[in-house]
Amino acid sequence: MRRLHLILAALVVTGCEGVITADRVGAGGTGGGTGSSARNCSTARGTPGHYTLRRLTNQEYTNTVQDLLFTRQAPGAAFQDSLAGGSGFKNDSKALSIYSTLVAKYYDTATVLAKEVITSKGTSGGAYSKLVTCDTAQSACAQQTVSALAKRALRRAVTASDLDATNGLMGVFTASGTFDQGLYDVIVSLLMHPEFLMIPVVDARSLDPAATFALDDYEVASRLSYFLWQSMPDAALLTAADQGTLHTPEVMRTQVLRMAADPRAVSLKNVLRDEFAELSFLAKTDLTQLGQTNALRDAMIGETDAFLADLLTNDRSPQLLLSSTQSFVNKTLADFYGLTFPTGANPNSFVPVTSTRVGLGSHAAVLTNTAGGSATFTNPIKRGHWIAKKLLCDEPPPPPPNIPPLPAVSQANATIRQRLDAHLNQPSCTGCHVTMDTLGLGAENFDSFGRWRVKYADQAPVDSTGLLPDGTAFADSTAMFTALANQTRAKSCVAQQVMKLALSRDLVGVDDLCTADAVSLVSVTDRSRFSDLLVQVVTTNQFLQQTGEAP
Amino acid sequence: MTSYRISRRRLLAGSGAFMTLPLLEALVSRRALADGTSDPRRLVMIHWPNGTVTRDNNLTWFSAPNGPLTAANAPVPLQPFTDNLSDITILKFLTQSARDATLRNGGGGHGGSKPCFFTGQVPSNLGTDASGITGDSFDVMYGKLTPNQRSIYLANSEQSNGDNVAYGYELSHKNGQKVTPEINPVSFFNTYFKNLTGTVTQPKTDYARNPKILDVPNAAATDLRAKLGKDDRVRLDAFLTSLGELKTNLAAPTTPVVTCSAPPLPAVDLGTTNQNGLRGKSYFDRMKAFNSLIAVGFQCDLFRSVAISFGAEGNYTTYDGVYPATLNYNGASLSVQYDHSVSHQSPISGEAGGYGFNPNMTRDRIHLSLVVDLINKLKAVTDPSGSKVLDNTIIMSGFCVDDGQHGSDGGTTKGSPVLVSGGKNFITPGRSLDASQYDLNDLYFTFSGLLGMGLANFHPIAQSSRPYGPLTGRTSGSTVIPL
């Protein structure tokens, strides 16, 4: 934490040149990105920003009720799916609205889950036996049970007001007549509680937009657990919060290392796979419609899944997201890539094999997902958009209305590069497309399914050459992804992506972005570990503090 | 060449969906809330053992574009049922992965492939004695979760005189065993309706019984609201508004009870009626008698889950003079054809076994008329809340056979129509819906959510075959279809 602050301060003092949008990739090679951030951090003040009150995502809801009530049901999967917000992740607080049918479904689900708990009574190891650990004939047992459950559901210390016998949870309990009916009613009530369904940050200074305040330890516990597990804090986190030590760097580091090694951290891997790499769409795509098999589709996704699992489980460098030259292949994918699958290995398992592919951007799953849905032609604009947005955090603005179509194929512009060049001559296109087109054309050595090629089907040679903004020329797709991996802004983007997920919001302004730059300098290096990145992110002001809001 | 312009606009479309989906949900919710979500929800699953006129090169059932079904765009089979178009949704191009896998395993006949239809499983035994299905079929799964844990299995099919027993016995499974269907309306009456008496009241919701269940969260949200700024308050205001609507909906009902008494004894007794003589007529009467009893059973909450198998081949049935003339397509004659569906009969004259498109389409309409008969009977009875029973009932109908000429070509199920009817309190019927990105297992998973079954997925066996974690996918039965 201290080291990060020193770096952030150094960025501020040195006043790195340029502005945020000054160094677009492909802008004639005149942009920034020259070893250090081109961002002007001289005005950064380290303010944490404001996180809007949000509800749980559907996956978080499922994970939370599974941890809270020991159910194996996944009710969140039946809720209306929500799209990712501006951050690119579904946990974006701006995107998680609340509406009537969702609340009605919360209620229906609450009754089903509560019923499941009560019906497990008498079952060894059932939810009831885990939630009711005292003699129900004893008068104190009710409050003991309700209090313990409420603390876990609300993810904070329970107050006397919470348990009030008239207007609180004990009022709910005692109105019911029997212990089991009371427990049922309390479970339903807690599952409809705003502090269960949402993740609030509350402070006496919450209504002062000029104020900056630290999250309390319970709020930090929730931020940590929903970041790393997409679920509620466990007993160890709540205990640390009880002790008031959770915000200290040493305890935060210990907790992050513990949580990253926990099986629940598989959720982090899944989010990176589904939302960062955006593969959830591919998983629903029928590749047989494009002349391939769905076994190949699953193998493609399996590679990215295995890569991310290796990255997190073995605590490797986050820079590998950009620079890894290992492919994870099963027999199907090895055959598809033209790689030799190790003799004796299980053909269904994914084994690491050295390849010429570089980083996540050259995974077949990503390349197929961004190819545009044609078995014959790729879509360089779509691929370029993904690379710009995900690997460089340089997402072009939405396209304006009435976009003219690409020029028709003619003798003058027969190739995709010629056609794209033609539309780049239109002033309304140049600003955005110079970025996307350069990157997308740079990936043209990969066909619609991510296979390496040097010629198109008509035997015309693939031209994937280009020029990065720092003047680095690349001759083919491998060279482009290699060059990108060395870009400072790409390393900062890795930190930015993880910060967005951790903060449940997009990064806005120099305070956020310069913090991400500083995080990346420390933790997105060839010698850093993924846990270093996680620790750096969760010890930023952005993670641990909050700016107030106008009343 | 790919259109880049379209691709870019899809980005905008995505943004639009983000903004509009909650609004659409909200609009749906008001209707659902107004009709009372506390009524019991029912399920009817109907199998057409001999399929329909469906071929990849002649997708007669799929002619309507995506969107509302209207008299102007109704596919040929639905054209006689214009009064019911708003009750029925046609799912087009739905995949049945288990059935497709069954075909690849060498099975595809009527009896052999049917076990997968209600179970989502690939049968390990395609013989007629044991299907090799594990656990329960979907109708039984739901039945077990209802108050009396009852599921009904009816077959409009004789067990002798030409009907192959397996055809009626293959669909519903309980604990891995085939369920014996009820085939006789009189027997069905004697079992459940003969001594029916009493009243049905709308059960009190948990909130009506103990309002503090929601009053406490309401107070907590109000308290939290006072502590937070304007953007955060927007969220809490939405929550409080939604909670208020929910409380209104869940408040104690003021509607009257439903009085139940024994319905008339069905006229069709399979034990005494000579089925050989008037099969066409008895076939109609039998199914209609079943439908009448189902309506009473639902209204009086005797059961909430019903599976039906329409009759199979082997009935040397003639229909002329039996079915309403409005169902006839293009002057077809059904006086000589054997099967009362399109099994082993090409819809194209001149092909082997081909009796022509017109009589086969007429048969499709005849069977559809029996679904519509059930729809109308459920529409005519009400729940204690005043809502139509139909509006609290999902009627799913379709089939799972491929041999002969009644499935789609090429060994896949893409051309087989699946119909979802009723349920207006929680779905929006009356549409033609492209379901090409979904699997039948997804449909059952969607039903599980609508019926409050709380399944994590449907057919977890398929899910486990994936080489990675819990990512939703087409064969996992974990994707919600926007019905």
Side-chain angles (χ1 to χ4, degrees), chain B residues 64 75 88 129 143-144 151 156 229 254 260 265 275-276 278 292 295 340 376 381 420 437 451 456 476:
Chain B
I88 300 169
D129 295 331
K144 282 185 173 180
S151 52
N156 191 15
T254 57
C260 292
L265 179 69
Q275 299 296 312
N276 291 317
L278 292 169
S292 297
H340 53 213
N376 289 333
V381 291
V420 176
Q437 62 178 311
L451 298 169
S476 65

Side-chain angles (χ1 to χ4, degrees), chain B residues 170-285:
Chain B
E170 290 284 347
L171 282 166
S172 191
H173 285 72
K174 189 173 190 176
N175 301 325
Q177 301 297 314
K178 296 174 186 174
V179 177
T180 302
E182 174 62 76
I183 63 168
N184 186 348
V186 171
S187 172
F188 187 41
F189 171 87
N190 287 333
T191 303
Y192 294 105
F193 303 91
K194 186 176 181 180
N195 301 313
L196 180 61
T197 184
T199 59
V200 176
T201 58
Q202 188 176 17
K204 270 190 173 181
T205 64
D206 293 320
Y207 169 70
R209 175 179 51 75
N210 181 1
K212 289 184 177 180
I213 287 175
L214 293 181
D215 289 347
V216 167
N218 196 95
T222 304
D223 180 57
L224 191 60
R225 186 185 183 283
K227 298 174 182 174
L228 295 176
K230 58 178 183 177
D231 287 348
D232 293 338
R233 283 207 303 270
V234 169
R235 290 283 157 77
L236 287 166
D237 287 343
F239 178 70
L240 285 164
T241 300
S242 301
L243 204 58
E245 287 186 35
L246 179 65
K247 289 166 72 171
T248 300
N249 180 52
L250 296 172
T254 57
T255 48
V257 299
V258 171
T259 301
C260 292
S261 59
L265 179 69
V268 180
D269 185 345
L270 197 60
T272 57
T273 300
N274 179 358
Q275 299 296 312
N276 291 317
L278 292 169
R279 286 191 171 189
K281 185 173 191 318
S282 67
Y283 183 80
F284 265 87
D285 293 344

Side-chain angles (χ1 to χ4, degrees), chain B residues 106-152:
Chain B
H110 302 266
S113 63
K114 276 169 59 179
C116 58
F117 190 58
F118 284 5
T119 66
Q121 299 179 40
V122 180
S124 62
N125 184 343
L126 297 176
T128 56
D129 295 331
S131 47
I133 293 298
T134 61
D136 300 330
S137 52
F138 192 80
D139 56 312
V140 173
M141 290 170 69
Y142 180 54
K144 282 185 173 180
L145 295 173
T146 57
N148 54 23
Q149 301 181 354
R150 188 176 285 160
S151 52
I152 303 297

Side-chain angles (χ1 to χ4, degrees), chain A residues 305-469:
Chain A
D305 187 83
F307 167 72
L308 293 169
D310 177 70
L311 188 70
L312 297 174
T313 306
N314 296 314
D315 203 11
R316 303 194 191 281
S317 167
Q319 190 167 332
L320 291 174
L321 287 165
L322 304 169
S323 62
S324 174
T325 55
Q326 276 192 323
S327 291
F328 287 78
V329 294
N330 61 4
K331 182 70 166 60
T332 300
L333 192 61
D335 292 346
F336 187 74
Y337 277 172
L339 297 173
T340 302
F341 190 72
T343 305
N346 180 345
N348 295 319
S349 65
F350 288 84
V351 296
V353 176
T354 300
S355 77
T356 56
R357 292 168 188 269
V358 181
L360 184 70
S362 60
H363 282 201
V366 170
L367 292 163
T368 302
N369 202 36
T370 57
S374 164
T376 311
F377 302 102
T378 60
N379 184 336
I381 296 174
K382 193 168 184 179
R383 278 189 177 163
H385 183 270
W386 187 93
I387 295 169
K389 178 175 66 171
K390 296 294 187 176
L391 301 185
L392 295 174
C393 294
D394 186 15
E395 184 174 8
N402 304 319
I403 306 171
L406 279 177
V409 177
S410 67
Q411 284 189 325
N413 51 28
T415 69
I416 183 62
R417 180 178 287 274
Q418 289 167 334
R419 296 185 70 206
L420 290 177
D421 283 348
H423 93 141
L424 276 181
N425 291 331
Q426 300 175 39
S428 62
C429 303
T430 307
C432 298
H433 280 274
V434 70
T435 302
M436 295 186 289
D437 296 6
T438 300
L439 295 168
L441 289 169
E444 273 291 277
N445 280 122
F446 296 107
D447 71 7
S448 296
F449 305 103
R451 274 177 305 206
W452 186 264
R453 64 182 177 184
V454 294
K455 292 181 179 177
Y456 291 108
D458 62 1
Q459 298 304 306
V462 171
D463 178 5
S464 57
T465 58
L467 199 65
L468 290 181

Side-chain angles (χ1 to χ4, degrees), chain B residues 393-451:
Chain B
T393 304
I394 296 172
I395 303 173
M396 175 263 205
S397 56
F399 62 92
C400 176
V401 286
D402 191 70
D403 64 350
Q405 300 292 343
H406 40 276
S408 58
D409 295 337
T412 72
T413 43
K414 283 290 187 183
S416 307
V418 171
L419 275 52
V420 176
S421 310
K424 283 185 178 175
N425 282 342
F426 38 92
I427 61 175
T428 308
R431 294 179 293 155
S432 173
L433 180 64
D434 183 349
S436 58
Q437 62 178 311
Y438 302 108
D439 190 274
L440 182 67
N441 291 334
D442 293 323
L443 183 63
Y444 289 144
F445 178 70
T446 304
F447 287 166
S448 87
L450 296 170
L451 298 169

